[in-house]
Amino acid sequence: MTGKLKVGIVGGTGMVGQRFVQLLDQHPWFEVTGIAASSGSAGKTYEEAVQSRWKLAGPIPEAVKNIIVQDASKVEEVAAQVDFVFCAVDMKKNEIQALEEAYAKTGTPVVSNNSAHRWTPDVPMVIPEINPGHLEVIAAQRKRLGTSSGFIAVKPNCSIQSYVPALHALADYKPRTVVASTYQAISGAGKNFTDWPDMLDNVIPYIGGEEEKSEQEPLRIWGSIVGGEIIKASSPLITTQCIRVPVTDGHLATVFVSFENKPSKEEILGRWLQFKGRPQELGLPSAPKQFITYFEEENRPQTKLDREIERGMGVSVGRLREDSLYDYKFVGLSHNTLRGAAGGAVLIAELLKAEGYIQAK
């Protein structure tokens, strides 16, 4: 394991924390050396802490079974054992903000799966293929926090991954108005069908806070750095509806879009096929080789068939056609706990390492 960066997972016993553990098993750059959770799990081995509530397919990785879970609130103790941490905790917003800043002030980079710091002006919220330049705001954040090496970077909401990449690839045509409805898996609520039997044979047309995030977070991703802060973009105008549907994993979106400069269908398909970002240029371990895959079949992408494309890190698009009210409409799909959650955060960490922001202590 020599040469690998030492990783801590704060909130490692929850569903997203479990996914981090699974994704980091045998990772070429990172090794999990610390796991922290609530005081109720502290002192147990990781296997003891999660065995009765392990939610993922496949067993608990052998490499982490005997790691002693630490108390996440004992920041100095956890931080002393690792080079950086992933954070995926279930706490109140102000408590998460304070906890993540406490870790950062110890000189420990924090890659967060939480929403608490998504609108902190000097915290980059990153989809690595789309806005890697926002990492430059870290310098201002470090100055504010009084640290030369610690910082916080966050991953955006899982639902927007299903349509923002497809729109971003068409930025030259200036999307003007967007209507998106997302059909979101129950794992986005940290649950499976055993936990949530009411979701069987059911659709719930409301997910608290999700529509505001889906409308506003893309504008921050498309924003610009001004005076050490990220200022959100003013367009396109986005409106959404977010619906919970009875599938295990995968968020699907139906999207309507109008442009200032309407492209042809061939131009759109060409941009999607050719689109690459910084992760592809760098050959990062978790990066999909083909970020956006277009399906010609009328009945694709399908959640069950296509959510695992590119190991769950790719985005699938289909059913592109002209619309009677908008210029075009299409369907997008992304894996919410891989690309949208833990996998997206691991890719951010890989980008941060490659760009020199995360180093061994």
Side-chain angles (χ1 to χ4, degrees):
M1 308 302 277
T2 306
K4 292 189 179 184
L5 292 175
K6 295 181 289 185
V7 180
I9 304 172
V10 179
T13 58
M15 183 179 247
V16 175
Q18 292 174 24
R19 184 68 83 174
F20 275 123
V21 164
Q22 190 180 66
L23 288 174
L24 294 168
D25 189 36
Q26 307 299 318
H27 191 281
W29 293 0
F30 306 143
E31 175 192 2
V32 177
T33 60
I35 297 174
S38 67
S39 57
S41 295
K44 300 176 182 177
T45 66
Y46 186 68
E47 183 177 28
E48 291 169 342
V50 301
Q51 194 163 41
S52 63
R53 52 193 175 113
W54 182 256
K55 296 177 182 287
L56 306 182
I60 302 167
E62 289 293 330
V64 300
K65 281 185 175 180
N66 293 318
I67 290 178
I68 302 299
V69 178
Q70 296 174 274
D71 187 334
S73 67
K74 296 182 179 179
V75 174
E76 296 281 352
E77 291 181 19
V78 178
Q81 298 181 21
V82 298
D83 296 315
F84 74 98
V85 299
F86 291 107
C87 190
V89 294
D90 184 12
M91 299 164 60
K92 295 178 181 177
K93 179 178 177 179
N94 64 322
E95 294 172 343
I96 295 172
Q97 289 174 330
L99 183 70
E100 291 182 344
E101 288 201 358
Y103 275 96
K105 287 177 179 178
T106 68
T108 305
V110 177
V111 181
S112 177
N113 195 77
N114 305 303
S115 64
H117 273 295
R118 287 182 190 160
W119 289 93
T120 302
D122 58 10
V123 171
M125 180 173 69
V126 180
I127 296 177
E129 287 89 350
I130 294 177
N131 61 330
H134 282 193
L135 298 181
E136 294 175 10
V137 81
I138 287 172
Q141 184 195 148
R142 282 172 166 167
K143 186 174 181 180
R144 174 176 64 86
L145 295 176
T147 174
S148 61
S149 56
F151 62 87
I152 303 161
V154 301
K155 170 207 76 61
N157 192 39
C158 53
S159 69
I160 71 172
Q161 321 278 334
S162 56
Y163 58 92
V164 165
L167 293 173
H168 181 76
L170 308 176
D172 289 347
Y173 304 107
K174 298 183 179 179
R176 185 174 68 239
T177 53
V178 176
V179 178
S181 292
T182 57
Y183 301 85
Q184 302 185 203
I186 63 173
S187 58
K191 296 182 183 294
N192 55 31
F193 287 116
T194 301
D195 301 323
W196 202 357
D198 291 346
M199 275 306 305
L200 287 166
D201 191 32
N202 196 18
V203 170
I204 298 177
Y206 172 73
I207 306 172
E210 202 76 358
E211 288 164 3
E212 180 183 5
K213 295 174 186 176
S214 298
E215 293 169 358
Q216 294 300 313
E217 288 187 15
L219 300 178
R220 190 167 196 259
I221 287 168
W222 289 321
S224 54
I225 298 175
V226 179
E229 297 184 354
I230 297 168
I231 306 301
K232 75 175 185 178
S234 58
S235 64
L237 178 65
I238 304 171
T239 184
T240 67
Q241 294 196 97
C242 298
I243 299 167
R244 189 73 73 191
V245 295
V247 298
T248 52
D249 296 302
H251 288 353
L252 184 141
T254 58
V255 184
F256 299 79
V257 56
S258 289
F259 299 89
E260 287 187 27
N261 306 307
K262 182 180 176 180
S264 68
K265 182 176 179 179
E266 291 71 27
E267 287 173 322
I268 292 174
L269 294 176
R271 291 298 178 97
W272 285 344
L273 177 66
Q274 296 162 16
F275 183 77
K276 296 183 185 300
R278 191 75 177 132
Q280 287 73 37
E281 294 170 3
L282 293 168
L284 299 180
S286 298
K289 288 184 171 58
Q290 183 64 41
F291 183 32
I292 301 172
T293 296
Y294 185 78
F295 286 96
E296 296 286 352
E297 298 92 331
E298 290 184 346
N299 64 346
R300 303 283 286 278
Q302 291 182 27
T303 303
K304 189 172 183 178
L305 294 179
D306 302 313
R307 61 192 171 202
E308 299 283 351
I309 198 164
E310 293 278 354
R311 297 166 290 124
M313 292 298 289
V315 175
S316 302
V317 184
R319 302 205 69 209
L320 175 67
R321 61 236 192 260
E322 292 196 57
D323 184 62
S324 57
L325 290 177
Y326 294 81
D327 288 336
Y328 287 97
K329 52 191 171 185
F330 63 88
V331 174
L333 172 68
S334 62
H335 196 302
N336 57 298
T337 68
L338 291 172
R339 166 56 73 165
V346 171
L347 187 60
I348 292 170
E350 292 170 357
L351 177 64
L352 287 162
K353 177 189 181 299
E355 302 288 14
Y357 288 95
I358 293 178
Q359 300 176 7
K361 287 183 179 177

